[in-house]
């Protein structure tokens, strides 16, 4: 990767990750889905399983349609699970530019409607991005969570 | 917004927000006041009220003098409320350049003098900035807090 | 500091701090040691002691060999202290370019193997960097912790 072009790529990834976290925080999950390409892959795995090379996922959507379906079912279920998200995404690593692969740590806080905030999950986003209609989009996002015990049935995206 | 100029603006906003968080963390509130222009507006509102379009604020200062007064009264009261702040400010969004409007999520941790740290508040900074004496300054900062129950009388800025 | 060169320096510091946090999070402490120069200095001090000008450190390594020794003894002890780290590093301040001095706030979360995550430490990195073999490296890193009660014998780097 050339030192000169690095900031340009980093800036574009920065903007995509900013959008990613904000759309979830704004509960605009329908727009969040559009950050993925049609054959996009969204997966949540525990760090324990990654380190032991276990193929188990907490959540696995291997197409944009599956991601969209998940959001639609959340819309029906979420009446039982009201909360507000706040994503803090850390320093971004660009591992390669072709393909565009990298990662960033995150912390996710949830607040109840009553205003109690707590740490919900920490971990790392591992992403592979592609150009799509003049902007970057997720070809693959694997969320490796350090925090276990995610209620996967009702969970909003991390 | 041109793609070429974007990094320059983002960098300047980055530096302003960095200064904002650090000055509070250093308890240098007098210098923090100077990040606002004379008719600057500083407001803390709950996300619940924002979403319901309620005009209620937890804290509302609609001039730099009011912000300064608040800091002065904190200086008298703070002997009862000793703590240390640590701001983690997330990825920054630039919504428009003219006027310069954007937002960023934050998490704020507080530690007692004895060294117990806890999550104090999460939410989002919504800002409008202007050029002022060769640098950026806050024309308006609205802190939308996800976390309720802020003791507003004794609270330092978020 | 010239406004034009600032982003270049900031970007290099950004990449170094990104690597710093990630290598600890990946438990790749041997590579983490190599971010320091031979006469590198790594110190953890409490904010209370800094403010009172007390010379006490929680941890003090004043050469790369001492840092390396510490990692080696952690490797022997860590069987009793299994956890996973997640570093969120905040907005970076460049104070001067010659010497290259600056700081950044951090929050560090730890998760047990069972998946319970908690806030472990918040504070600020104060760094002095030098060019070393074509890249930036730590000449000095002082971690000023707001959070007390660090178990210093078994603690991994912050």
């Amino acid at each position: 990767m050339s030192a000169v072009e690095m900031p340009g790529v980093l800036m574009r990834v920065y903007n995509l990750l900013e959008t990613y976290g904000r759309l979830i925080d704004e509960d605009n999950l329908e727009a969040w889905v559009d950050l993925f390409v049609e054959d996009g892959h969204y997966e949540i795995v525990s760090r324990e399983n990654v380190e032991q090379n276990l193929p188990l996922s907490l959540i696995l959507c291997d197409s944009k349609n599956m991601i969209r379906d998940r959001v639609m079912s959340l819309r029906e279920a979420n009446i039982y699970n009201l909360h507000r998200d706040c994503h803090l995404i850390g320093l971004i690593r660009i591992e390669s530019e072709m393909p565009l692969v990298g990662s960033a740590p995150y912390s996710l806080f949830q607040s109840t409607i009553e205003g109690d905030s707590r740490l919900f999950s920490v971990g790392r986003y591992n992403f592979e991005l592609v150009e799509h209609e003049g902007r970057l989009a997720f070809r693959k996002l694997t969320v490796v969570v350090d925090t276990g015990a995610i209620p996967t049935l009702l969970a909003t995206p991390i």
Side-chain angles (χ1 to χ4, degrees), chain A residues 89-152:
Chain A
I89 298 176
L91 304 185
I92 300 163
R93 167 167 161 83
I94 307 291
E95 247 181 270
S96 78
E97 285 199 44
M98 286 290 267
L100 184 37
V101 169
S103 66
Y106 72 87
S107 60
L108 170 54
F109 302 93
Q110 287 194 344
S111 303
T112 63
I113 301 302
E114 292 76 32
D116 294 314
S117 296
R118 68 185 180 99
L119 178 65
F120 179 72
S121 176
V122 295
R124 183 168 277 272
Y125 297 127
N126 292 317
F127 50 78
E128 184 183 327
L129 308 177
V130 290
E131 289 282 341
H132 179 67
E133 298 175 357
R135 58 182 183 78
L136 288 181
F138 289 99
R139 168 69 189 79
K140 185 169 179 178
L141 177 62
T142 304
V143 185
V144 181
V145 296
D146 290 359
T147 314
I150 294 169
T152 54

Side-chain angles (χ1 to χ4, degrees), chain A residues 22-148:
Chain A
R22 180 171 42 82
L23 290 176
I24 299 176
D25 292 353
E26 292 173 346
D27 194 29
N28 191 350
L29 301 180
E30 288 74 13
W32 171 82
V33 171
D34 282 329
L35 302 180
F36 290 83
V37 293
E38 285 306 320
D39 61 344
H41 179 106
Y42 178 69
E43 188 176 5
I44 303 179
V45 294
S46 75
R47 185 146 148 192
E48 194 177 3
N49 283 358
V50 169
E51 288 171 358
Q52 298 180 9
N53 263 322
L54 295 176
L56 252 61
S57 300
L58 297 168
I59 287 175
L60 173 56
C61 300
D62 66 6
S63 73
K64 186 171 178 172
N65 278 338
M66 277 187 71
I67 303 172
R68 192 180 286 117
D69 284 352
R70 185 169 175 86
V71 167
M72 285 175 64
S73 58
L74 280 173
R75 287 299 180 217
E76 290 161 25
N78 237 352
I79 194 165
Y80 306 112
N81 186 31
L82 291 169
H83 68 265
R84 294 183 173 106
D85 280 334
C86 183
H87 280 78
L88 273 283
I89 298 176
L91 304 185
I92 300 163
R93 167 167 161 83
I94 307 291
E95 247 181 270
S96 78
E97 285 199 44
M98 286 290 267
L100 184 37
V101 169
S103 66
Y106 72 87
S107 60
L108 170 54
F109 302 93
Q110 287 194 344
S111 303
T112 63
I113 301 302
E114 292 76 32
D116 294 314
S117 296
R118 68 185 180 99
L119 178 65
F120 179 72
S121 176
V122 295
R124 183 168 277 272
Y125 297 127
N126 292 317
F127 50 78
E128 184 183 327
L129 308 177
V130 290
E131 289 282 341
H132 179 67
E133 298 175 357
R135 58 182 183 78
L136 288 181
F138 289 99
R139 168 69 189 79
K140 185 169 179 178
L141 177 62
T142 304
V143 185
V144 181
V145 296
D146 290 359
T147 314

